[in-house]
């Protein structure tokens, strides 16, 4: 990941990014593939391509500008008036949309889509274009949150069918036609087309508390050792939001026991594949909040920053904070908690990786 210390970052406004010495920004790439292959070579986007991620910037820019422009902004980041370039982590989250294209929706239906050569060809062409837009930038890619969990639910990952060879014979003709082969295809394509970019499989082990060894085996089958890191999430929404009756009255606040169990899981996975873990989309909630939209309580920011030695011991290479849904607390509404803690950690010298 290009650092000997635990990286701190997230998803926030430009003002917030420059208010503290953040290391990483993250953003989603999330849509169905380009509606026309002509989009990959066009000089300008068209109105009819606006739903595709490559034309989110509108018709005044070339396809793919979403990536090249944001990379350039991160490279020009400053802190206290001095240059302090930041890294971009892209959450590539498009198999969810491929499930829609197949008429299957999300969940296991997404996995059916990868066994259709017509759809998987478009998906892999889109992924190649995305990687080419990154080019030689020193970015990072988080591959497909949730999807690997849905694939795992269908059995042996070497036997979950995917039309990998026919969909991309140029880059992935040697890979097996399975979910495992698709994971290897995505990793190898990243190393080929974006050689300075780290790529990581997202840990979607919904059963980790009951059967962590199955997760170990499945990620070995996916070839996670050939990636550069793993990605995991803690919770997608603030604990104060989940605690409300309208949202299930769930208790997702942390205590030392819950934290220890999660850290053990991440450490086990890191050591099983020999790669560090990046924690992504950590809730930003502040315990001083009043549990109204934008101001929900959560204790994850406070816990992580006060236990950085345990974070490092679990082979965690980065802590990335951000809201995973509307109404959640953000770095702009948390009263400065995340920014202040990031500054304090930086001023203390940071936390060395282990």
């Amino acid at each position: 990941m290009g650092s000997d210390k635990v990286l701190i970052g997230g998803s926030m406004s430009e003002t917030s990014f420059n208010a503290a010495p953040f290391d990483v920004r993250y953003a989603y790439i999330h849509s169905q593939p380009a509606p026309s292959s002509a989009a990959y070579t066009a000089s300008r986007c068209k109105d009819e391509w606006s739903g595709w991620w490559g034309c989110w910037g509108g018709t005044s820019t070339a396809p793919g500008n979403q990536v090249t422009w944001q990379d350039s902004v991160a490279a020009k980041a400053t802190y206290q008036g001095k240059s302090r370039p930041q890294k971009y982590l892209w959450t590539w989250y498009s198999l969810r949309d491929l499930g829609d294209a197949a008429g299957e929706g999300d969940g296991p239906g997404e996995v059916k889509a990868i066994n259709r050569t017509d759809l998987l060809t478009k998906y892999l062409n889109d992924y190649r274009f995305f990687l080419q837009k990154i080019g030689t930038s020193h970015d990072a890619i988080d591959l497909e949150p949730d999807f690997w969990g849905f694939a795992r639910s269908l059995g042996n990952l070497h036997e979950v069918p995917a039309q990998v060879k026919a969909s991309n014979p140029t880059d992935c003709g040697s890979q097996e036609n399975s979910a495992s082969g698709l994971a290897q295809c995505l990793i190898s394509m990243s190393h080929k087309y974006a050689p300075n970019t780290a790529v990581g499989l997202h840990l979607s082990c919904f059963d980790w508390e009951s059967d962590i060894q199955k997760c170990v085996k499945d990620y070995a089958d996916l070839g996670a050792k050939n990636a550069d890191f793993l990605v995991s999430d803690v919770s997608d929404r603030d604990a104060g939001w989940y605690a409300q009756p309208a949202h299930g009255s769930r208790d997702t606040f942390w205590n030392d026991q819950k934290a220890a169990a999660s850290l053990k899981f991440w450490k086990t996975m890191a050591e099983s594949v020999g790669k560090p873990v990046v924690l992504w989309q950590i809730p930003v909630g502040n315990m001083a909040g009043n549990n109204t939209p934008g101001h929900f309580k959560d204790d994850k920011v406070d816990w992580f920053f006060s236990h950085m030695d345990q974070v490092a011991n679990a082979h965690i290479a980065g802590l990335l904070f951000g809201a995973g849904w509307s109404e959640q607390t953000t770095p702009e509404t948390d009263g400065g908690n995340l920014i202040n803690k990031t500054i304090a950690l930086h001023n203390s010298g940071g936390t060395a990786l282990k």
Side-chain angles (χ1 to χ4, degrees):
M1 300 291 289
S3 175
D4 59 358
K5 295 180 180 179
V6 178
L7 299 168
I8 306 295
S11 176
M12 62 195 80
S13 71
E14 194 65 27
T15 299
S16 295
F17 270 128
N18 291 325
F22 289 110
D23 304 298
V24 183
R25 305 168 179 230
Y26 76 77
Y28 280 87
I29 297 293
H30 172 28
S31 77
Q32 291 189 23
S36 168
S37 59
Y40 300 135
T41 55
S43 59
R44 287 288 183 272
C45 285
K46 297 182 179 180
D47 285 334
E48 57 266 35
W49 299 343
S50 61
W52 172 52
W53 68 266
C55 286
W56 282 348
T59 57
S60 64
T61 62
N65 184 67
Q66 175 79 6
V67 172
T68 54
W69 175 74
Q70 289 187 236
D71 270 343
S72 69
V73 171
K76 297 173 185 175
T78 63
Y79 176 60
Q80 294 185 335
K82 297 180 181 179
S83 175
R84 196 174 193 280
Q86 296 165 345
K87 179 188 293 289
Y88 238 107
L89 180 139
W90 301 100
T91 296
W92 177 258
Y93 183 59
S94 293
L95 283 173
R96 167 67 182 83
D97 300 278
L98 206 69
D100 287 342
E104 299 287 351
D106 63 353
E110 295 175 37
V111 190
K112 294 182 181 179
I114 66 174
N115 200 36
R116 281 184 50 176
T117 302
D118 59 334
L119 293 180
L120 192 59
T121 297
K122 292 180 180 179
Y123 171 85
L124 292 174
N125 286 344
D126 220 53
Y127 182 61
R128 183 190 300 109
F129 179 72
F130 162 66
L131 296 174
Q132 290 170 335
K133 292 294 103 179
I134 291 176
T136 58
S137 295
H138 291 263
D139 289 357
I141 302 170
D142 167 17
L143 286 175
E144 296 293 358
D146 300 334
F147 176 81
W148 311 113
F150 299 141
R152 293 177 66 240
S153 72
L154 299 180
N156 187 322
L157 291 161
H158 290 291
E159 297 175 359
V160 174
Q163 296 302 316
V164 178
K165 295 177 184 290
S167 298
N168 186 0
T170 300
D171 301 314
C172 303
S174 63
Q175 305 293 349
E176 68 180 37
N177 282 325
S178 69
S180 175
L182 177 60
Q184 287 301 288
C185 174
L186 295 173
I187 292 169
S188 65
M189 286 179 68
S190 175
H191 291 155
K192 177 179 180 179
Y193 293 105
N196 296 328
T197 290
V199 60
L201 292 178
H202 201 102
L203 283 174
S204 295
C205 296
F206 310 136
D207 54 349
W208 69 267
E209 292 176 282
S210 61
D211 195 353
I212 192 172
Q213 289 307 311
K214 184 177 188 302
C215 187
V216 169
K217 179 186 181 301
D218 286 345
Y219 275 78
D221 288 345
L222 288 171
K225 68 179 181 180
N226 295 321
D228 303 296
F229 63 104
L230 296 167
V231 188
S232 188
D233 39 335
V234 184
S235 176
D236 60 345
R237 298 167 204 186
D238 292 320
W241 187 91
Y242 271 129
Q244 296 187 341
H247 305 135
S249 300
R250 292 173 54 188
D251 179 10
T252 61
F253 287 98
W254 265 24
N255 55 37
D256 288 343
Q257 183 178 3
K258 287 183 179 179
S262 293
L263 289 170
K264 181 180 179 181
F265 164 54
W266 296 320
K267 184 174 184 177
T268 298
M269 294 308 300
E271 293 181 348
S272 73
V273 302
K275 307 292 180 179
V277 174
V278 171
L279 301 186
W280 164 84
Q281 203 166 263
I282 305 168
V284 187
N286 186 342
M287 291 303 289
N290 60 7
N291 284 332
T292 59
H295 302 280
F296 286 104
K297 296 179 184 291
D298 205 300
D299 48 8
K300 309 299 185 301
V301 172
D302 293 342
W303 195 95
F304 280 117
F305 278 97
S306 61
H307 296 81
M308 290 299 292
D309 56 335
Q310 294 183 43
V311 169
N313 286 338
H315 313 305
I316 292 169
L319 299 175
L320 308 185
F321 299 87
W325 193 253
S326 62
E327 296 190 345
Q328 307 309 299
T329 311
T330 70
E332 292 71 49
T333 64
D334 75 340
N337 192 40
L338 176 62
I339 286 172
N340 290 337
K341 283 182 166 53
T342 300
I343 292 171
L345 178 65
H346 173 76
N347 291 344
S348 73
T351 301
L353 298 176
K354 296 183 181 179

